[in-house]
Amino acid sequence: MATILVAAMTSNACSEMTEMIAQIRRGDPDALASLIARYQHRLYRYLVRLARDPATAEDLFQQTWLRVYEKIGQFDVARNFEVWLFSVAHNLAVDYFRGRRDTESLDARMESGSTRGEYIASAGPDALAQLLDSERAAMLAACISELPPIHREVLTLRFEENMKLEEIAEVARIPLSTVKSRLSRALEGLRAAMESRFLGRSEL
Amino acid sequence: MSMNEHESVQRLLALSAAGVLDTQEQLRVNRHTHECDICRRELETWSTYAHALHQLPQPAVPVQLLQRTEARFLREQAAVAGRRHDERILIALALFAWIVSLADWLLLRGLMGGVLLVMDMNVLDLPIWSLASTVLVWASAGAAAIVLAKRQRELRRVL
C-alpha cells in the first residue's frame, strides 16, 4: 500500500514538473518563479559550498536560472530535472573557477566580519548538536570549505543532495569510477583536516 | 582473514559509510568487519563522519534571493528584447537604404539618359553605382550600430 502511495506521489510530482517545464517553455514567468522557489535552498546550498562566498554563490545561482530558461527547450523531460539543473550550475561554477585564481583562504574576513567557515556553520538550525557540539560542527564545515572544490562538490552532492553515484557522475560529467575515487579522497581529506585541527587544538 | 583482504576492505570503509558500494562490495565489508575489530572501529568512525555530513548546518538563503533573481531575469529579458529590436531596425535600415539607392539609380538614369559623369566615370553604370551604394549603406549601418550600442550602454547604466 505504501509502495503504491509513493509511486502515485512520484508520478504526480513528475507530471507536475513536466507541466511546469511546458509552461516555462511557453514563456510563463510565474512557472519559472515557482521552480526557482522550489529549488532555491538546495541550489544555493550547493553553490555556497562550492564557491564559499555568498555573493559569488548568489551570482552563480542567478546565472544558473538564466541558463535554465535559455536551454529549457533542449531539456529532455524524460531525464531527471534536478540532475540537469545541478549540471547547469556545475558548468557555470567550473567557468567561474577557471576564470579566477582560487587564492581566497577560509580565514579571509567577509564584509560581515565573519569568516566563510563561520558563515556556513552559523546559519540554520543546530541539528548537528545531536552528534557533535556546535564548535565541532563549525569545525567540520570549516574543514569542508578547506577542501578543493571538486571534493566539496562531491561531498555536498552525496551527503546533502543525497544523489546516487550515477547522478553525481551526470552532474559533474565524469565517469562513475572517478566519482567513487573522488568521494573516497574527499572523505579522507576531510578526516585528515579534522584530525589535524583537533591535534592543533590539543597542542595549544 | 588475509592481510590483503584486510587492506582491500579498509579502502572500502569510507565508501561503505557513504552508502555507495555495490552489493558485492558491501557484503565483503560486512563479512570482514564482523571478524575484524580494527575495521569495525574504523567503519564506526567513518559512519560518524557520514552522519555528521548528512546533518551539516545549512547556509541560510539570502533574503529576497528569489526577488533579485526574478529582477535580474527581467533585466536580461529586456536586454535580449532590446538587442533583437535593434537588429530588426538595422536590417530594416539596410533594406531601406538599398531600396532608396535602387530608386535613385532608376530615377537618375531616367533623368540623365543613363550617363552621369564624375571624374570621367559614369556613376550610373550599375557596377560603380552598386559599389558606391554598398559603401554608403555599410557606413550608415556602422554609424547606426555605434549609436544603438551607445544607447544600450546608457540604458544599462540607468538600470
Side-chain angles (χ1 to χ4, degrees), chain A residues 45 58-59 123 158 191, chain B residues 18 25 42 54 58 68 72:
Chain A
R45 176 177 62 192
E58 180 167 340
D59 184 45
R158 176 64 200 134
R191 188 170 165 180
Chain B
E25 289 171 323
E42 186 73 358
H54 276 300
Q58 297 301 295
R68 282 198 296 277
R72 182 164 171 185

Side-chain angles (χ1 to χ4, degrees), chain A:
Chain A
M1 182 67 184
T3 316
I4 295 167
L5 200 64
V6 169
M9 282 168 73
T10 312
S11 166
N12 277 347
C14 281
S15 60
E16 190 194 341
M17 180 59 76
T18 309
E19 178 54 33
M20 210 178 258
I21 288 166
Q23 285 174 341
I24 296 168
R25 281 175 177 164
R26 288 195 293 270
D28 182 353
D30 292 339
L32 182 69
S34 301
L35 205 59
I36 298 173
R38 179 184 285 198
Y39 287 105
Q40 63 173 337
H41 287 90
R42 291 177 57 192
L43 186 63
Y44 180 77
R45 176 177 62 192
Y46 167 70
L47 290 167
V48 91
R49 297 278 189 232
L50 265 185
R52 296 185 296 192
D53 170 34
T56 307
E58 180 167 340
D59 184 45
L60 288 170
F61 177 91
Q62 292 175 353
Q63 282 188 53
T64 301
W65 287 109
L66 291 172
R67 190 65 62 86
V68 163
Y69 186 77
E70 193 186 314
K71 304 275 182 193
I72 196 86
Q74 296 166 19
F75 171 67
D76 175 6
V77 286
R79 284 180 64 193
N80 182 338
F81 177 78
E82 288 170 21
V83 172
W84 184 70
L85 173 68
F86 280 86
S87 72
V88 170
H90 164 87
N91 290 340
L92 289 165
V94 166
D95 290 345
Y96 162 75
F97 282 112
R98 207 175 274 154
R100 70 187 257 281
R101 283 182 175 177
D102 196 8
T103 52
E104 293 164 333
S105 85
L106 179 71
D107 298 327
R109 293 273 157 190
M110 300 191 303
E111 278 177 27
S112 62
S114 59
T115 66
R116 289 184 171 78
E118 285 164 357
Y119 171 83
I120 291 168
S122 65
D126 190 15
L128 200 61
Q130 292 168 7
L131 178 69
L132 304 165
D133 61 31
S134 60
E135 199 184 357
R136 284 174 72 199
M139 204 178 274
L140 186 68
C143 286
I144 290 172
S145 68
E146 280 174 356
L147 296 174
I150 53 169
H151 290 172
R152 295 201 298 269
E153 178 180 46
V154 83
L155 287 177
T156 188
L157 289 177
R158 176 64 200 134
F159 292 99
E160 294 190 297
E161 299 309 323
N162 289 315
M163 283 191 184
K164 295 175 192 153
L165 286 186
E166 293 81 2
E167 291 172 332
I168 299 172
E170 204 177 328
V171 169
R173 295 179 186 204
I174 49 174
L176 209 59
S177 56
T178 310
V179 180
K180 248 180 167 176
S181 59
R182 198 174 277 183
L183 183 60
S184 186
R185 275 200 291 271
L187 284 164
E188 281 159 14
L190 178 64
R191 188 170 165 180
M194 277 294 278
E195 284 172 358
S196 78
R197 278 207 173 214
F198 272 114
L199 206 66
R201 278 167 59 92
S202 61
E203 280 169 358
L204 285 174

Side-chain angles (χ1 to χ4, degrees), chain B residues 5-81:
Chain B
E5 176 68 357
H6 175 75
E7 282 167 8
S8 166
V9 167
Q10 247 184 345
R11 279 197 290 273
L12 296 175
L13 295 175
L15 294 176
S16 171
V20 295
L21 291 183
D22 60 40
T23 319
Q24 288 296 318
E25 289 171 323
Q26 191 56 54
L27 274 174
R28 266 181 71 201
V29 170
N30 293 348
R31 251 197 318 266
H32 182 78
T33 50
H34 190 68
E35 298 167 358
C36 176
D37 282 345
I38 299 168
C39 285
R40 191 166 50 244
R41 278 199 300 274
E42 186 73 358
L43 183 60
E44 279 167 13
T45 306
W46 281 122
S47 299
T48 309
Y49 274 94
H51 186 69
L53 280 164
H54 276 300
Q55 299 181 46
L56 277 176
Q58 297 301 295
V61 170
V63 181
Q64 295 199 316
L65 175 68
L66 181 61
Q67 288 80 354
R68 282 198 296 277
T69 305
E70 283 183 293
R72 182 164 171 185
F73 173 75
L74 292 174
R75 279 200 306 274
E76 292 285 336
Q77 287 295 100
V80 169

